[in-house]
Amino acid sequence: MPARYDAARVRGLYTGLSDGWTYLNAHDTPQLAERVAAGVARSFRMSTAVASFDVPTGTHSARPEAGRLEGHNLVDSARIAVADLVGASADRVVLGPSLPALYQALAQVISPLLRSNSSVVLSRLDPPVLARAFRGIDAEVRWAEPDLGTGELPAYQFAELVDGSTRLVSLSASHELLGTVAPAEEIFDIVHEKSRAWTLLDVSSLAPYRPIDADELDADILGIDLAELGGPQVAALIFRDTKMFRRIDALSPERENSGAGQLETPVSAGLAGGVGPLADHLADLVAGQKGSRRRRIVSSMTSLQGYLDGLGHDLYTFLGTLPAVHILGVTGEAAADATDNRLPRISFAVRGVPAETVHQRLFDNGLVTTLSPRTPLLTNMGVDEIGGAVTVALGPFNTSADVEHLTRVLASLA
């Protein structure tokens, strides 16, 4: 049974919440826990110092690397922390400054997988900046389309999109603005039945709400943007097996046969130093736990999921009772078949009220939200016709009082 989640205690881990604002913008700018902020500050101070080490005493003791700086240790620690976050080993982790940069690097090195008439399958549910990385590769690009009524990604279409020519299938585990969760397991079953393609899954929007297990997700490569979890601007790709590195090119000749190093792009040591504190913070969301950091992360995130699932249910229910509020992918006949497998993130409009006015009214009442960006998917779902939308996303520190406050302000508009 998951340990009890204490939201009041968790709020105390975020010193930035003392300014009086109600932050409902976890999709755009997650709050930084004090442990993460302090870890980054310390790392920037110490990254250029010579790393401390124990003096070898035995005949067979390993000698430390001469001149090794603390920054190298910080990057190594970041790999280990990412491995703990997703249940992998550190030698399968590739770090980078951002997920788009890592996707672009991956697109450059997978040419050995491509043959004449190869194809890749991308999803229009994904952030456009990620899909853009693969548009220039030497292969036919096929697109999986989301349902415009629900914002969900139907799995059945992959049976037609994927065939023996397919070398890569890339999708996001969830939508960053709508909260929809893709049926990744069902999709990957189809992919494996129809081809030998590699599967790439972006879990950045899912990881703040649910425990991630790389083996259970069954993707060949996971992508994660740690900033979306309230961490530093560092991202990672996690490969299913280190043998996969032998099948790709290196970004430069001197990196040949260097494992994860073949693909790695430089990251700031100071920022990398915040990844370990992020993992520690997530492991301690529930107090009093014992065991390895990985075990505590799973336990804490399982408790967080239960808490936020309940809070998210209230968010959908309360706003759904306001007649003038339209929740994208949920409200209306076109969304009648929508599943309830959603994250506590919604984009909504108020009938007859421009989104800018809604956003300003919320801000005037101390609620920090965002105007929904005009992505191709939201445009096709009719956002422009209804005057734009506002996006709300809950974080680990939000409470039922925050949802009630949001509902009251919107009711005054409607």
Side-chain angles (χ1 to χ4, degrees):
M1 180 178 178
R4 178 179 176 274
Y5 189 83
D6 186 348
R9 173 187 169 275
V10 171
R11 288 183 64 84
L13 305 178
Y14 295 85
T15 56
L17 299 179
S18 61
D19 60 4
W21 293 94
T22 298
Y23 290 97
L24 299 173
N25 62 337
H27 63 288
D28 181 66
T29 310
Q31 292 296 300
L32 290 179
E34 179 60 25
R35 175 178 277 180
V36 175
V40 170
R42 178 189 179 280
S43 298
F44 271 108
R45 289 196 305 269
M46 300 299 296
S47 61
T48 57
V50 174
S52 60
F53 57 87
D54 295 328
V55 177
T57 56
T59 304
H60 300 287
S61 297
R63 293 186 61 82
E65 179 184 337
R68 182 177 178 85
L69 300 181
E70 189 64 34
H72 294 101
N73 290 344
L74 295 172
V75 173
D76 289 344
S77 296
R79 289 193 194 92
I80 295 171
V82 171
D84 284 345
L85 285 171
V86 302
S89 56
D91 58 351
R92 293 154 54 188
V93 175
V94 177
L95 298 179
S98 69
L99 207 52
L102 284 171
Y103 271 46
Q104 290 168 6
L106 182 62
Q108 292 179 44
V109 303
I110 61 172
S111 56
L113 302 179
L114 305 177
R115 297 179 176 86
S116 59
N117 301 321
S118 293
S119 65
V120 299
V121 178
L122 308 178
S123 164
R124 296 197 195 278
L125 193 71
D126 298 2
V129 68
L130 296 184
R132 194 176 301 130
F134 298 105
R135 292 184 181 179
I137 67 173
D138 186 19
E140 177 192 359
V141 176
R142 302 170 182 172
W143 290 95
E145 302 287 350
D147 184 291
L148 297 183
T150 64
E152 298 170 356
L153 188 67
Y156 66 82
Q157 62 187 309
F158 285 84
E160 296 184 358
L161 292 169
V162 177
D163 58 29
S165 73
T166 307
R167 296 291 178 262
L168 178 72
V169 176
S170 175
L171 64 142
S172 294
S174 55
H175 193 275
E176 57 186 342
L177 304 176
L178 301 176
T180 54
V181 177
E185 182 178 353
E186 185 179 354
I187 291 171
F188 292 162
D189 284 344
I190 295 173
V191 173
H192 295 152
E193 180 183 344
K194 305 276 289 187
S195 75
R196 299 177 65 182
W198 282 8
T199 52
L200 171 61
L201 183 67
D202 170 26
V203 296
S204 301
S205 297
L206 186 69
Y209 300 104
R210 299 180 182 181
I212 301 298
D213 188 309
D215 293 331
E216 285 187 4
L217 288 172
D218 199 29
D220 293 302
I221 310 171
L222 294 183
I224 186 167
D225 183 343
L226 299 170
E228 294 201 28
L229 282 82
Q233 295 289 334
V234 176
L237 296 178
I238 302 94
F239 283 67
R240 172 177 46 79
D241 194 311
T242 55
K243 295 178 181 177
M244 295 174 66
F245 295 123
R246 304 174 191 170
R247 300 188 59 193
I248 61 176
D249 287 334
L251 285 176
S252 56
E254 63 272 15
R255 299 190 191 181
E256 290 287 350
N257 303 316
S258 60
Q262 292 181 210
L263 185 57
E264 203 152 81
T265 51
V267 299
S268 161
L271 292 177
V275 180
L278 170 66
D280 293 335
H281 165 71
L282 296 176
D284 293 337
L285 286 177
V286 175
Q289 299 185 98
K290 297 180 179 179
S292 68
R293 181 166 64 181
R294 170 61 185 169
R295 182 174 180 176
R296 289 182 287 119
I297 286 174
V298 172
S299 178
S300 285
M301 294 304 295
T302 300
S303 295
L304 174 62
Q305 178 181 353
Y307 173 75
L308 285 181
D309 279 353
L311 205 59
H313 179 268
D314 290 346
L315 177 67
Y316 282 95
T317 300
F318 293 173
L319 267 59
T321 60
L322 301 177
V325 172
H326 177 87
I327 303 174
L328 296 178
V330 175
T331 305
E333 293 182 5
D337 295 328
T339 70
D340 58 2
N341 184 17
R342 289 177 175 261
L343 305 178
R345 293 185 173 190
I346 62 172
S347 293
F348 64 90
V350 178
R351 188 176 299 111
V353 184
E356 290 81 1
T357 302
V358 176
H359 181 252
Q360 186 63 52
R361 175 67 71 86
L362 294 172
F363 187 78
D364 290 343
N365 284 270
L367 295 160
V368 182
T369 61
T370 68
L371 288 169
S372 307
R374 298 297 209 277
T375 66
L377 174 57
L378 265 61
T379 296
N380 291 337
M381 292 180 73
V383 165
D384 295 342
E385 285 77 6
I386 58 178
V390 172
T391 300
V392 164
L394 303 182
F397 47 80
N398 286 122
T399 66
S400 57
D402 299 337
V403 175
E404 292 167 4
H405 186 192
L406 172 67
T407 305
R408 285 194 299 269
V409 175
L410 288 177
S412 71
L413 273 170

